[in-house]
Amino acid sequence: MSGHTSSTQQSTAGERLLKNLFLVALCVMVLYPVVWVFKMAFTPSQGFSMSLNPIPENPSLANFEYLLTELPFFTWLFNSVVISLATTLVGVFLACTSAYALSRFRFPGRTTAMLSFLVTQMFPGVLMMIPLYLIMDWLGLLDHLLGLILVYSTTAIPFCVWMLKGYFDTIPIDLEEAAMMDGASTATIFWKVILPLSLPAVAVTALFSFMTAWNEFILAAVFMNRADNYTLPVGLQRLVGQFSTDWGYFAAGAILVSIPVVALFFALQKNLVGGLTAGGVKG
Amino acid sequence: MSGQASGRRGLVWLPVAALIIAGGFLAVAWSQGVADGEAYQARRAATIARGVAWVHVQEAMRVDDAGEGQTQRFVEALPEKVPGVREALVLKGVNYKAHSDAALVEQRLDVDSLAAKALYDDARRLKANVDKNAEERARNPALGYDPYPEVQIIPVEGGLQALAVAEDAGKYIGTARITTGPAPYRFELPWLVLLVALGLSALWLIVGGRLPTRPRIAVGVLALAGLTVAGSVTLPGWRNDLRRAQADGQAGTLAALDEAGLLAAQAPPWDPEEWADLDEDEQQEETARIEANALMPYLDRGLNGALEGRLVTIARANEGDDTRLEPPAGLPAGALMFAAEGRAVYFSGAAFDAAVVTDEADVRLWGIGFGVIGLLILLLGELGQLRRMGRAAVDHRGAYGYLSPAIVGMVVLVFIPVVYGIVLGFTQRTYNIIEFAGLTNYIEILTDFDLGDPTNFYFKLGVTLMWTILNVGLHVSIGLFLAVLLNDQMLKARGIYRVILIVPWAIPNYITALIWKGMFNKQFGAVNAFIEMMGGESLSWFQSFWPAFSTNLITNTWLGFPFMMVVCLGALQSIPSDLYEAAWVDGADRWQRFRRITLPLLMPALVPAVIVGAVWTFNMFNIIYLVSGGAPNGATDILITDAYRWAFERDRYGYAAAYSTIIFLILLGFTLITNRITGATKGAFE
C-alpha cells in the first residue's frame, strides 16, 4: 500500500501492455455471464436465439413488467425484507451482548462457549436441516416467517460473535475503567461506551446477517411450502427449469434481487475479508 | 456450627431430586394419557364406521331379515347411545343413504359447502381404492391383504372423522362416516410415585442429617434408584382410565346395534342390563363375542384383510400418492398412527380390540431418564458442585446475563438440532415411528463397496474430494496469479480490474448457480453458442458425468477465485518492499523472489483462507443442487447434496442423519488436523 515503489516492482511498458490485455480479456470473461443475464432480462417473449451477442435484439421491459405485475414478486420481496431485517435485529443484538461478555469477562465456561460456537459451525447448515425441520414442525413454525427468522439469526450468531469479539478486544479497557470510576454500570458502559465505539464492526455484522438471510435458499425452500410464504430466492428458483420458458422472468428477478446485495457487498467488502479469515470456518 | 448448617442445607438435594423424578413421571403419565385417549378414539371411530358400513351392506344385500331401514335406525341411534359420536352418515354418490339427522336422508350433498366437497372427495378416493384392491387381488391371488386404504381417519376440528367403504365382494355400495368429539381421556395422577417421593423427602429431612455424608449419599442414591424403578415398572398401569370410556363406548355401540334390530338373532340375545352387571373383563369378552358374531362375517370377507399385524393402508393427502409400506417391526397389531399429512395409517388385525396401545419400553426410557437427572442432582448437590455452580452464576451474573440470550437461542436451534441429528443417525424412521437401530445406518453406509452405484458413500466421497481439491486448487492458483498481476503500482487501471474481478463474489451464489445453469442450457445457452462459433458440436452438458461435473466446477471456480484473490492481494501489499530490494541486490531472479519471499510471507494469510475455502467447498450445496442437480442420475452429487436427498427425497431421516454425522466428523477431523499443523486459530482464545 505504501506509496513509493521500488525499482524491483516496476514493470516495463511492454509487460504492462500484456498484463492489461490479459486482464481485459479476463474481465470480459468474468462479466459475460452478468451481461448475458441482462440480455435475457431485456429480451421479450422468453425466446432466445442461441447467440453470443450480448446486446438484446429488441430490448423491452416486458419481463420486468410481467414479474412485477403478474407474479407475486412483491409478496416474495416483502417476505425477504421482513425476514432479513428481523434476522439482522435479533442476530446483531444477540451477537453484541455475547461477544461483549466473551471479550470483557472471565468466567467459568468461557472457553467452552467459544469452542462450541466454533465447532457448531462445522455442522453444516444443510445437515442441521433434518433435525431443524423436525423441531420446527414440532414447534409449529414450519411455513412461518418467524421460523426462518429464528433459524437464520441463531445460525449467524457464531460468526458474528467471533467477528465482534475480535473488534471489542481491540477497544482499550482503560475507557471502561474510566467510565466505571465515574460510576457507570456495566449496562451503561456497554450501551454508551462500547457500542458507539464499535459501530463500524456492528455495521459489518449487521450487513453480514442481512446478506445471509437475503441470500439463503435451501432452508427457505424446505421450510416454506405455501407460495405466499416464499422468499425471493425460493420464488426465483421456482421460475427456472431445464426446459421451462421462464428464464426471462428469472433474469429480470435476478437483477432486481442482486442490485441491493451487490451494492452492500461493495460497501463492506474490505471489512468482510478480514472478518472472514479471522472468524474461522463457516459452512 | 457452620458445618452443621451446611449439612442441613445439603439435605434439600434428595427432596429436590425426588420431586423432579415424580414430576417427570407425572408429565409422562399425562402425555401418555393424551396419546392413548387419541388412539382409543381413532380406533373406536374406525370400528363404528366399519360397523355402519357393514350394516349398510347387510341391508343392501338383504343378507338377513332384519327389515328395511336398519342402517338408518342404527345411524340415528349412534349419537344418542355412544358417548362422543357427534354425527354418522352413509353416502352413495352425492346422496345421503342414511344420516343421524333424519331430515337429510336421501338428500343431496350441499354443493356449495367445502365440508361436503371434502366428504365427496374422500368417498371417491376410498371407492377408487376398492377397485384398485380388487385389481391387485385379481393380479396377485396370494396377496393376503388389501394394499389400498378402505378406512381413513382424519383429525378434524375438535375430534376425528372415520370413513369406511361399504362394499360387497368388490362391489361398491357406499361410504360410512363417523364424526366424533375430542378424545376422552381422564388423567390420573401417578399417586404412588408422588406419595413415595414426598414420604422419602420428609423422612430424609428428619433423619438424613444424622447420617455421615458418604453413607447418606449411598442411601440417597439407592432410594432414588428404587423410586425410579418402581415408577417405571408401574407407570403403564397408571395410564389414564380409558377402560370406563371403552366400556361406555362398547355398550353404546351394542345398544345402537340392538336398536337397529341387529342383535335380535344373537344367541343368547344381548341384554343391556345383564351386560352392565358384568365386571370389566367379562364385558370385554362378551363384547368381543358379540362383535365377532355380528360383524366378523363381513370382516372375514376382508374389508381390510383382517390379518395379523399387516399394514393395510396408508393414504396421503396428495392425490395419487398412495404408498405401500411394510409395517415396521415390533408394531403392535391394530396400531394406528398418523402419517405426515394428517391422514391415518391403519394397521388392522386387532381392529376390534380397543385395548390401549402404548409402547411401554418408551415409557420406561423416559422414567429412567428422569431418574438419571434426579441422581445427578443428588450427587452434584451433595458433593457441593451445584452450590459452586450456583455461586459462579451469582458471581459472574453480569457475564452470564449478557451471554444468556444467545446461548438460549443457540441451545434450542443449534445444539439441540446437532445432538438430535446425531441421535437420529442411530434410528430408523417410518412416518411417526422412530425406532432405535443401533449402528445399522453406519454399517450400511460404510460397508457398501458397490462403487458402480452413484449413491454409494465411497463413490460420493471420491467425487467430493475431487470436487474440493480441484476447486480449491483452481481458486488459489487463479487468485494468486491475479493478485501478483494486480500488485503492480504502475498498472493504472488496477482499481477497476479489482472491482470487476470481485463481482462474482458479490452476486448471491444461488443466482450465480442459476445463471450458469442457463449458460449451459443446450438450446439457448451461451456456452454452446461459443462452442458452435468455434466450429464444435453443441453438447448436452447434463447427460454424462464429466461434462456435468465440469459445469459445477466452472461455476464454482467463477464464483470462488475472487475470495482468494482478495486475500492474496491483501497479504501481498503488506510485504515490505525492502525485502524485494535486498533480494534484487543479491541477484535473485523473479522466480526466486516469488519462491523465497512472496510465497512464505503469503502463507499466514493463505493457509486459513485455504482451510475455510476447503470447508466451504466441501459443503457447497447450492452450486451442485442448482447447476447439475446431481445429473446424470445423482452421479455428480457430493456428500452433502446426497445427504439432503436421503432425507428429503428418499425419506430416510435416520440414514441421512448418520450420513451427516459422518460428514461432520470428516470436517471436524480435517479442521483439528490442519489447526494442529498450522495453529490457525492460535491466540483467538486469549
Side-chain angles (χ1 to χ4, degrees), chain A residues 5-6 8 11 19-20 30 36 50 94 97-98 106 108 122-124 127 129 131 165 215 242 247 250 258 282, chain B residues 396 400 402-403 405 417 488-489 497 508 511 514 518 521 523-524 558 581 584 616 619 644 660 664 671 684:
Chain A
T5 48
S6 67
T8 54
S11 42
K19 271 189 190 177
N20 277 317
V30 163
W36 192 74
M50 189 161 71
L94 295 181
T97 50
S98 38
R106 294 293 176 271
M122 260 165 272
F123 207 85
L127 308 178
M129 223 156 47
K165 179 198 166 275
N215 290 343
Q242 177 75 18
W247 281 92
F250 161 74
S258 302
K282 167 68 188 150
Chain B
H396 301 279
Y400 290 120
Y402 279 107
L403 205 54
D488 178 349
Q489 306 290 334
Y497 290 135
I511 287 185
L514 293 171
N521 188 292
Q523 280 103 43
F524 60 82
W558 186 80
E581 279 160 25
W584 184 72
W616 277 344
N619 286 334
Y644 172 85
S660 309
F664 172 59
T671 320

Side-chain angles (χ1 to χ4, degrees), chain B residues 515-526:
Chain B
I515 292 174
W516 278 91
K517 191 181 174 64
M519 300 263 295
F520 284 110
N521 188 292
K522 187 167 192 275
Q523 280 103 43
F524 60 82

Side-chain angles (χ1 to χ4, degrees), chain B residues 522-538:
Chain B
K522 187 167 192 275
Q523 280 103 43
F524 60 82
V527 179
N528 275 348
F530 181 73
I531 293 177
E532 286 198 352
M533 195 184 79
M534 302 307 258
E537 282 277 304
S538 41

Side-chain angles (χ1 to χ4, degrees), chain B residues 8 11 15 198-211:
Chain B
R8 274 245 155 268
L11 284 181
L198 288 175
L200 211 60
S201 305
L203 199 69
W204 189 260
L205 288 173
I206 295 164
V207 298
R210 302 207 184 128
L211 285 170

Side-chain angles (χ1 to χ4, degrees), chain A residues 1-11 15-16 19-20 22-24 26-27 29-34 36-37 40 48 50-52 93-94 97-98 100-102 105-111 113-120 122-124 126-136 150-151 154-155 157-158 162 165 169 186-187 190 214-215 217-218 222 232-233 236-237 240 242-243 247 250 254 257-258 261-262 265-266 269-270 273 276-277 280-283, chain B residues 392 396 398-400 402-403 405-407 409-410 412-418 420-422 424 429 481-482 484-491 493 497-508 510-511 514-519 521-526 528-530 532-533 538 542 558 561 563 566-567 573 577 580-581 584 590 593 605 608-609 611-612 615-616 619 621-622 625-626 640 643-644 647-648 653 656-657 660-661 663-664 667-668 671 681 684-686:
Chain A
M1 267 317 218
S2 63
H4 89 112
T5 48
S6 67
S7 54
T8 54
Q9 293 291 287
Q10 275 183 4
S11 42
E15 256 175 41
R16 281 206 302 282
K19 271 189 190 177
N20 277 317
F22 177 79
L23 285 168
V24 166
L26 199 77
C27 286
M29 272 171 66
V30 163
L31 284 184
Y32 188 80
V34 179
W36 192 74
V37 168
M40 283 208 298
F48 307 105
M50 189 161 71
S51 113
L52 278 178
F93 174 74
L94 295 181
T97 50
S98 38
Y100 181 64
L102 291 172
F105 298 100
R106 294 293 176 271
F107 52 89
R110 177 175 170 273
T111 323
M114 289 174 65
L115 255 185
S116 49
F117 278 171
L118 201 64
V119 170
T120 51
M122 260 165 272
F123 207 85
V126 174
L127 308 178
M128 306 242 312
M129 223 156 47
I130 307 157
L132 269 181
Y133 183 86
L134 298 174
I135 288 175
M136 286 288 138
L150 289 178
V151 172
T154 42
T155 44
I157 283 178
W162 274 88
K165 179 198 166 275
D169 284 346
T186 350
F190 177 64
W214 185 264
N215 290 343
F217 159 70
I218 187 66
V222 170
L232 281 172
L236 284 188
Q237 195 254 341
V240 172
Q242 177 75 18
F243 301 106
W247 281 92
F250 161 74
V257 173
S258 302
V261 241
V262 171
F265 181 86
F266 278 106
Q269 44 108 357
K270 281 231 165 75
V273 180
L276 281 173
T277 38
V281 267
K282 167 68 188 150
Chain B
H396 301 279
Y400 290 120
Y402 279 107
L403 205 54
I407 292 288
M410 294 280 293
V412 174
L413 291 169
V414 179
F415 294 123
I416 291 182
V418 168
Y420 191 7
I422 292 172
L424 266 185
R429 183 179 189 272
F481 179 67
L482 288 175
V484 172
L485 277 192
L486 287 177
N487 190 34
D488 178 349
Q489 306 290 334
M490 303 291 286
L491 208 59
Y497 290 135
R498 187 177 178 280
V499 166
I500 290 179
L501 290 175
I502 59 173
V503 163
W505 187 11
I507 299 174
Y510 72 94
I511 287 185
L514 293 171
I515 292 174
W516 278 91
K517 191 181 174 64
M519 300 263 295
N521 188 292
K522 187 167 192 275
Q523 280 103 43
F524 60 82
N528 275 348
F530 181 73
E532 286 198 352
M533 195 184 79
S538 41
F542 301 108
W558 186 80
F561 80 86
F563 171 70
V566 169
V567 168
Q573 284 166 348
S577 50
Y580 290 107
E581 279 160 25
W584 184 72
R590 190 175 283 219
R593 291 200 301 268
I611 296 174
V612 173
V615 175
W616 277 344
N619 286 334
F621 182 87
N622 284 2
Y625 185 75
L626 294 174
I640 190 145
Y644 172 85
F648 293 95
Y653 285 140
S660 309
T661 310
I663 300 177
F664 172 59
L667 287 176
L668 189 66
T671 320
T681 53
F685 291 96
E686 299 306 313

